[in-house]
Amino acid sequence: MSGFTHAPVLAEMTIEALAVRPGGRYVDGTVGGGGHAEMILKSSEPDGWLGGCDQDGEALKATSTRLASFGNRWDIRRGAFETLMDWIPPGSVDGVLLDLGVSSPQLDHPERGFSFINNGPLDMRMDDRQELTAAELVNTMPEEDLADLIWQMGGEKKSRRIARAIVIERDKCLLESTTQLSGVIEQVVPRRGARIHPATRTFMALRIAVNDEVGALRRGLPIMVDLLRPGGKLVTITFHGVEVRIIKEFGDAAAKCDTPSLRWFQRKSLKAKAEELKSNPRARSAQLRVMEKI
Ligand SMILES: C[S@@+](CC[C@H](N)C(=O)[O-])C[C@H]1O[C@@H](n2cnc3c(N)ncnc32)[C@H](O)[C@@H]1O
């Protein structure tokens, strides 16, 4: 696999939102290529600390090299963010970052199976120790469930037609590669000058399901708040409407209950400025929100 580089989105806004300062303690629950992690360590010099995790082993290898020069000021372990509580004490950190979704290398390396343009195995696992793959989903899910998934997580209007085509195809021969699947989708949803590739939404829905991204976020948010000391900030960066809904519902409920555990610091999303969009089009759909632990 070639290099693992990922340009962090909304980088300066993130550092500001986390109120990073020397001596502060921070958590990055989605370390990825380490772009935000590196900025947090730089901005908290000389003695700030960063704990973090990612479920992607490839990402962590690259990030460990990237952060080596910061000595013992960081500890990054492989795993899902909901397991951070196993080794980071509750109430002990000043800021937590969740930069959700996939990283550029995950999308760009065809062998990871996220790309509908370059051929690779229908994999899409962020954590390769997990058993469930995209191939397993598309070859075994009942047609109606597949259609619901593509509609609910991908927002794909032609979800029923796509699910039908997948089932017809898999009855002839199992779907094992990404371009095999995108080819099936293109047959029923032709490109005809559309802004995005017809397989985009289906691939996104499958990726979200394979990695249980919705479940992980629902389970993870209260745990991230537990890690914070009072006054600490939880910063989320989202790329998908479903993530936004979960975060808003969580923040609203926690802020409005009889003994609120947090308050909104920035509920209306902050977005990338024109300058960042020029160099990093991926930032187009990024939305940053901030909650503060009470
Ligand atoms: C958008 S990238 C993060 C990029 C990172 N902020 C940077 O600057 O390089 C999202 C990362 O989150 C990881 N991830 C997604 N869900 C996760 C979860 N539940 N637990 C841990 N890592 C997760 C993915 O493997 C991916 O590397």
Side-chain angles (χ1 to χ4, degrees), residues 62 166 169 196:
I166 289 174
E169 190 64 27
I196 59 168

Side-chain angles (χ1 to χ4, degrees), residues 135-203:
E136 166 115 16
L137 278 187
V138 294
N139 287 307
T140 61
M141 239 186 168
E143 181 178 331
E144 198 163 323
D145 294 353
L146 200 50
D148 288 347
L149 170 67
I150 296 169
W151 164 239
Q152 285 162 8
M153 294 299 141
E156 171 58 70
K157 292 194 187 106
K158 309 220 166 81
S159 59
R160 311 250 148 237
R161 207 188 292 175
I162 292 174
R164 178 92 282 263
I166 289 174
V167 168
I168 291 172
E169 190 64 27
R170 78 186 185 194
D171 285 346
K172 290 188 242 157
C173 113
L174 290 183
L175 290 161
E176 283 169 344
S177 77
T178 56
T179 49
Q180 204 184 347
L181 175 60
S182 57
V184 171
I185 297 169
E186 268 193 275
Q187 274 168 27
V188 287
V189 187
R191 283 195 205 204
R192 278 201 217 109
R195 195 174 53 83
I196 59 168
H197 189 285
T200 307
R201 295 193 174 91
T202 302
F203 269 60

Side-chain angles (χ1 to χ4, degrees), residues 9-19 36 97-99 233-240 243-244 247-248 264-274 276-277 282-291:
V9 299
L10 308 176
E12 275 161 30
M13 260 180 232
T14 302
I15 297 301
E16 211 174 296
L18 287 167
H36 288 109
L97 170 65
L98 290 182
D99 174 19
K233 304 281 196 322
L234 170 57
V235 176
T236 56
I237 302 177
T238 54
F239 295 84
H240 191 283
E243 295 165 344
V244 172
I247 286 168
K248 281 189 177 166
W264 278 109
F265 194 78
Q266 180 70 47
R267 187 177 187 278
K268 187 172 185 306
S269 64
L270 297 177
K271 297 187 180 156
K273 304 211 165 75
E276 178 172 2
L277 293 177
R282 215 187 133 258
R284 203 180 314 118
S285 47
Q287 300 192 5
L288 185 146
R289 290 184 170 76
V290 191
M291 299 171 222

Side-chain angles (χ1 to χ4, degrees), residues 118-137:
N118 300 307
N119 198 22
L122 255 184
D123 189 322
M124 302 197 195
R125 291 170 302 169
M126 292 179 185
D127 185 342
D128 63 8
R129 301 168 300 186
Q130 163 185 316
E131 279 186 15
L132 181 68
T133 62
E136 166 115 16
L137 278 187

Side-chain angles (χ1 to χ4, degrees), residues 72-110:
N72 62 2
R73 291 178 48 215
W74 56 276
D75 185 355
I76 282 168
R77 306 187 187 183
R78 187 170 185 191
F81 50 70
E82 64 195 85
T83 64
L84 283 165
M85 201 61 145
D86 297 348
W87 60 280
I88 297 185
S92 71
V93 302
D94 300 291
V96 173
L97 170 65
L98 290 182
D99 174 19
L100 297 161
V102 274
S103 65
S104 310
Q106 286 168 339
L107 287 172
D108 296 344
H109 293 162

